[in-house]
Amino acid sequence: MQKFMKEIEVITLLSLMFLLTGCQKHESLQTNPEDQLAISIMTTRNGQKAGTFESDIYLFDIKTAKTKKIATVPYTSQYPLSVYDPQKKLLYYSSRLKGTHEDEVFVYDCRTKETRQLTDWCDVLNYMFIKEDKLYLAAMDTKKTIITSYWCDRETGKPTDLTWDHDLFVDYVTYNPLTKGLYCNLYSDRESYKRLNEPENGIRQRFYQIKPDGSFRLITEEKRKIIGSLVANSRKMLYIRKNTSVPNVPEMKGLKEQIIEVVSYDFQSKKKTVLSEKDKSLYRMGFIYLDKKGTTLYGLKKGQGLGDPDKLVSYDLKTHKEKILFRYPGTEGAINNACVVKK
């Protein structure tokens, strides 16, 4: 009898262990992958020495809604740009070489406090994303006159030019580290010059997915439009479109009325939907990240003067409500750019 009872106890114990293990596995499967994400933010301000400027880099944790300062680097570039790798503790940022007008990519190791120059071929940098073992750069090298796409080796800085037509200017770029989706819109540089002084100066815009092998897949097009911002998840793409880049000014006669719209493009149905007037506050937002459900949009908003600093915000596309997540901490300075990274 005792042997039989012991066998029952053993079976019961094993059953409980199995159930607990099963529950733990189930819980791990239910983990929200977006909890892995953070937003790398770059701000600029006056430096400690007169006549100098510095950039502060912050990391906003999407899960905890907490922000921490990562590093401070000199601001010497034409356009300050950065992206932080939380896993390797490396900060990639733009900086101008002494005695030149060229911006290059530098790497700051937050553990060793050492800085090294990564590239030696850039001139202008507009976008920078960490895409697994390489950087994506929207840049202009010293031999070109327009912004094009490159893979950049994170160790050597060696570039791979992805552009097949060097008349196509890279306008907006967005990267989602969860879906690994990299999207951009391109337009003809020649066409933009032709229509520069026209009352309605929108041009043909082509939206592409940049695939892992560096090839471009056409997603959709817009005729005679100006694009204002761009973001995508696995289901859809959101972007701002305008018929002209010139805002409505009463003193300037003969101009077309500027029409601004936020467009949602569904990847599966290939249908475009214009968001309602309730979402017009998005016209002033620089899009950063669209969550996997497609209901929460993260972006940057410029301040409207003294007492209203630049800010990182989230926007609920269902309730049309905006929430401030991070404000520029100083009175004089700006948030220059931000992008989503994996923690």
Side-chain angles (χ1 to χ4, degrees):
M1 185 68 178
Q2 289 179 346
K3 182 179 179 182
F4 177 74
M5 291 300 294
K6 286 182 179 179
E7 287 177 352
I8 290 177
E9 288 174 3
V10 170
I11 292 170
T12 304
L13 182 60
L14 288 172
S15 299
L16 285 171
M17 290 175 65
F18 176 80
L19 287 170
L20 287 170
T21 306
C23 288
Q24 289 173 351
K25 286 183 178 179
H26 181 71
E27 288 172 0
S28 66
L29 289 173
Q30 296 300 315
T31 300
N32 183 0
E34 290 182 313
D35 290 346
Q36 307 171 32
L37 299 180
I39 299 176
S40 173
I41 306 167
M42 186 178 209
T43 68
T44 55
R45 56 174 173 75
N46 291 326
Q48 294 182 351
K49 293 182 180 180
T52 66
F53 299 93
E54 293 179 329
S55 294
D56 296 320
I57 288 77
Y58 296 86
L59 194 68
F60 174 82
D61 190 309
I62 289 180
K63 181 183 178 181
T64 65
K66 293 182 179 179
T67 307
K68 65 177 180 179
K69 186 177 177 181
I70 300 300
T72 298
V73 293
Y75 165 28
T76 60
S77 56
Q78 301 171 65
Y79 175 64
L81 191 66
S82 76
V83 58
Y84 176 63
D85 183 345
Q87 297 175 5
K88 295 187 176 182
K89 303 292 188 293
L90 296 175
L91 172 67
Y92 298 86
Y93 69 98
S94 61
S95 187
R96 180 176 292 183
L97 296 178
K98 290 183 179 180
T100 74
H101 296 286
E102 299 170 6
D103 287 354
E104 299 289 356
V105 180
F106 285 72
V107 187
Y108 174 72
D109 191 318
C110 295
R111 293 165 299 188
T112 65
K113 312 300 181 185
E114 295 179 347
T115 301
R116 69 182 179 92
Q117 182 179 335
L118 181 64
T119 64
D120 61 1
W121 51 270
C122 295
D123 188 4
V124 178
L125 289 159
N126 276 14
Y127 283 94
M128 187 188 306
F129 296 107
I130 296 170
K131 190 159 188 337
E132 299 171 291
D133 61 340
K134 51 187 173 283
L135 291 179
Y136 167 84
L137 301 178
M140 181 170 70
D141 68 24
T142 54
K143 299 177 182 178
K144 294 179 186 172
T145 58
I146 65 170
I147 302 293
T148 55
S149 292
Y150 296 87
W151 292 140
C152 177
D153 188 287
R154 293 176 68 179
E155 292 296 326
T156 66
K158 183 179 178 181
T160 302
D161 192 343
L162 307 182
T163 306
W164 72 97
D165 182 344
H166 291 282
D167 175 50
L168 295 179
F169 189 102
V170 176
D171 192 12
Y172 284 88
V173 187
T174 183
Y175 177 62
N176 186 317
L178 283 188
T179 65
K180 300 180 182 179
L182 182 62
Y183 297 88
C184 68
N185 73 290
L186 309 179
Y187 63 78
S188 165
D189 193 48
R190 288 190 292 268
E191 184 184 355
S192 69
Y193 274 105
K194 287 180 183 179
R195 302 197 185 282
L196 190 61
N197 296 314
E198 293 183 10
E200 194 167 16
N201 62 1
I203 56 177
R204 181 188 180 194
Q205 303 281 348
R206 284 168 278 191
F207 295 85
Y208 289 90
Q209 176 192 16
I210 305 176
K211 299 169 75 173
D213 63 0
S215 62
F216 285 62
R217 182 174 71 91
L218 181 65
I219 303 294
T220 187
E221 296 187 7
E222 287 281 359
K223 295 180 180 179
R224 299 297 303 269
K225 298 295 180 184
I226 300 294
I227 303 304
S229 198
L230 173 67
V231 72
N233 63 12
S234 61
R235 300 176 183 178
K236 62 185 177 181
M237 177 170 65
L238 292 182
Y239 57 92
I240 297 173
R241 70 181 181 191
K242 309 173 187 178
N243 61 325
T244 176
S245 63
V246 184
N248 302 321
V249 181
E251 303 83 46
M252 299 179 70
K253 297 180 180 179
L255 293 180
K256 292 278 186 178
E257 179 186 2
Q258 187 185 52
I259 300 170
I260 307 175
E261 297 171 316
V262 179
V263 179
S264 174
Y265 177 84
D266 188 281
F267 290 134
Q268 187 171 5
S269 68
K270 299 183 180 180
K271 290 183 179 180
K272 296 175 184 177
T273 305
V274 177
L275 272 59
S276 72
E277 282 288 309
K278 293 179 180 179
D279 298 307
K280 63 182 182 180
S281 66
L282 296 179
Y283 299 168
R284 297 190 297 107
M285 184 188 289
F287 301 162
I288 296 173
Y289 178 71
L290 179 64
D291 76 341
K292 63 179 182 179
K293 293 180 180 178
T295 56
T296 304
L297 178 63
Y298 295 82
L300 294 180
K301 276 201 166 180
K302 300 299 292 182
Q304 299 301 299
L306 194 64
D308 182 25
D310 295 351
K311 53 193 77 74
L312 170 71
V313 302
S314 64
Y315 183 85
D316 191 312
L317 291 162
K318 287 186 174 181
T319 64
H320 315 286
K321 291 183 179 180
E322 183 178 290
K323 181 180 180 181
I324 297 175
L325 305 175
F326 170 78
R327 296 176 187 267
Y328 176 76
T331 55
E332 294 183 4
I335 299 178
N336 288 95
N337 49 78
C339 63
V340 177
V341 295
K342 274 193 173 184
K343 293 186 287 186

